C-alpha cells in the first residue's frame, strides 16, 4: 500500500495527540480562527468563544496566542515530515517514491486544507526561536524530497539540471493546494494528488 493510501484525509483525524480534551478543543478553535481571520486579527477571546470556554480557561492550557500557533505549526510540520519520510524511504524506484511523496503531501494539504493553511502560511507570525524550530522541520521536509530527486538523477530516471530549484518548485506546488482547494469543488484530495504526481514526474523528465 502506498503512503497516499495510508494517509488519513480530512480535518477530523488531526490533533488526536493533544490532551486533555479542553486543550484540544482550544487548539482546533484556534486553527479555525487563524484560517478564517488570520493570526493577527484573531484574539484569545475569539478562540475561547469558538471552543465554548471562557478566556480565562484558555490560559490554563496555553500561556499566549503564539504558544497555540507554535504548537499547531510544530504538530503540522511533524506530520508533513512523517508523510514525506514514509514515501521517500519506502521500497521502490525513485519515480515511484517521488510520485508517492507528492500524492501523499498533496492529499494532506487538500484533505486538511484549513489546518494546512495555518501551518504553511502563518510562519512569519511566530517569534524568532519558535520560527527557527519550524524552519528546521521544513528543511528536513526539503531534504527528503531532494534526496529522491538526486537519486533519480543519479540512476538516470530523472533529467533535472537544478535539483535544489526543482525541489523548491515541487514543494511549493504541493503546498499551494491548501490555498485553493475547495471541498465542494470538482476534485477529491485523491484526484488532485494523482494529478500533481503526474505533473511532477513530467517536471523531472519522466515520460
Amino acid at each position: 500500500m502506498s503512503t497516499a493510501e495510508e494517509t488519513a484525509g480530512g480535518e477530523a483525524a488531526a490533533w488526536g495527540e493533544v490532551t486533555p480534551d479542553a486543550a484540544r478543543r482550544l487548539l482546533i478553535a484556534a486553527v479555525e480562527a487563524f484560517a478564517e481571520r488570520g493570526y493577527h486579527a484573531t484574539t484569545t477571546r475569539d478562540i475561547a468563544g469558538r471552543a465554548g470556554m471562557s478566556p480565562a480557561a484558555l490560559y490554563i492550557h496555553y500561556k499566549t496566542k503564539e504558544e497555540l500557533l507554535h504548537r499547531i505549526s510544530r504538530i503540522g510540520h511533524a506530520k508533513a515530515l512523517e508523510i514525506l519520510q514514509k514515501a521517500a524511504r519506502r521500497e521502490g524506484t525513485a519515480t515511484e517514491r517521488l510520485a508517492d511523496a507528492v500524492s501523499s503531501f498533496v492529499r494532506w494539504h487538500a484533505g486538511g486544507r484549513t489546518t494546512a493553511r495555518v501551518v504553511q502560511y502563518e510562519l512569519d507570525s511566530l517569534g524568532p526561536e519558535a520560527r527557527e524550530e519550524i524552519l528546521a522541520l521544513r528543511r528536513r521536509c526539503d531534504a527528503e524530497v531532494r534526496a529522491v530527486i538526486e537519486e533519480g538523477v543519479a540512476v538516470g530516471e530523472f533529467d533535472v539540471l537544478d535539483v535544489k530549484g526543482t525541489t523548491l518548485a515541487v514543494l511549493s506546488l504541493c503546498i499551494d493546494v491548501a490555498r485553493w482547494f475547495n471541498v465542494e469543488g470538482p476534485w477529491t484530495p485523491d484526484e488532485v494528488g494523482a494529478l500533481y504526481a503526474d505533473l511532477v514526474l513530467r517536471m523531472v523528465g519522466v515520460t
Side-chain angles (χ1 to χ4, degrees):
M1 180 180 291
S2 71
T3 310
E5 291 169 328
E6 294 174 349
T7 304
E11 309 282 352
W15 316 119
E17 65 270 62
V18 179
T19 57
D21 179 67
R24 182 167 56 254
R25 284 165 52 200
L26 286 163
L27 188 142
I28 292 170
V31 169
E32 293 172 351
F34 294 158
E36 180 181 312
R37 305 187 61 186
Y39 174 79
H40 292 293
T42 299
T43 67
T44 53
R45 183 175 295 275
D46 294 332
I47 296 168
R50 283 175 181 260
M53 301 167 69
S54 70
L58 185 148
Y59 295 108
I60 295 173
H61 302 283
Y62 302 100
K63 295 178 182 178
T64 64
K65 184 175 71 167
E66 185 189 343
E67 183 180 335
L68 263 167
L69 178 61
H70 183 203
R71 190 166 191 193
I72 292 164
S73 297
R74 186 172 62 243
I75 293 173
H77 278 87
K79 180 60 178 176
L81 177 60
E82 177 188 349
I83 290 167
L84 289 172
Q85 283 179 332
K86 181 174 285 189
R89 300 182 184 188
R90 73 175 182 86
E91 293 184 0
T93 65
T95 299
E96 291 167 341
R97 287 182 285 124
L98 182 60
D100 195 5
V102 169
S103 60
S104 301
F105 204 42
V106 166
R107 175 175 168 161
W108 183 74
H109 281 84
R113 65 204 175 283
T114 303
T115 296
R117 281 201 300 271
V118 176
V119 168
Q120 299 292 5
Y121 294 114
E122 289 288 0
L123 178 63
D124 289 340
S125 299
L126 292 170
E129 186 175 340
R131 187 173 186 272
E132 181 52 41
E133 180 186 354
I134 302 306
L135 284 173
L137 287 169
R138 287 196 176 202
R139 287 191 289 269
R140 292 175 65 187
C141 289
D142 180 281
E144 293 294 331
V145 175
R146 187 172 64 250
V148 178
I149 295 176
E150 287 174 341
E151 180 185 330
V153 171
V155 300
E157 291 183 40
F158 303 157
D159 182 12
V160 174
L161 296 177
D162 183 346
V163 171
K164 182 177 180 180
T166 300
T167 301
L168 176 61
V170 169
L171 290 172
S172 297
L173 193 68
C174 296
I175 288 169
D176 193 56
V177 170
R179 182 186 58 79
W180 65 261
F181 184 80
N182 183 352
V183 69
E184 296 179 356
W187 296 310
T188 67
D190 287 329
E191 289 169 340
V192 178
L195 171 64
Y196 274 50
D198 179 70
L199 292 173
V200 167
L201 292 185
R202 293 171 185 272
M203 185 189 299
V204 298
V206 176
T207 57

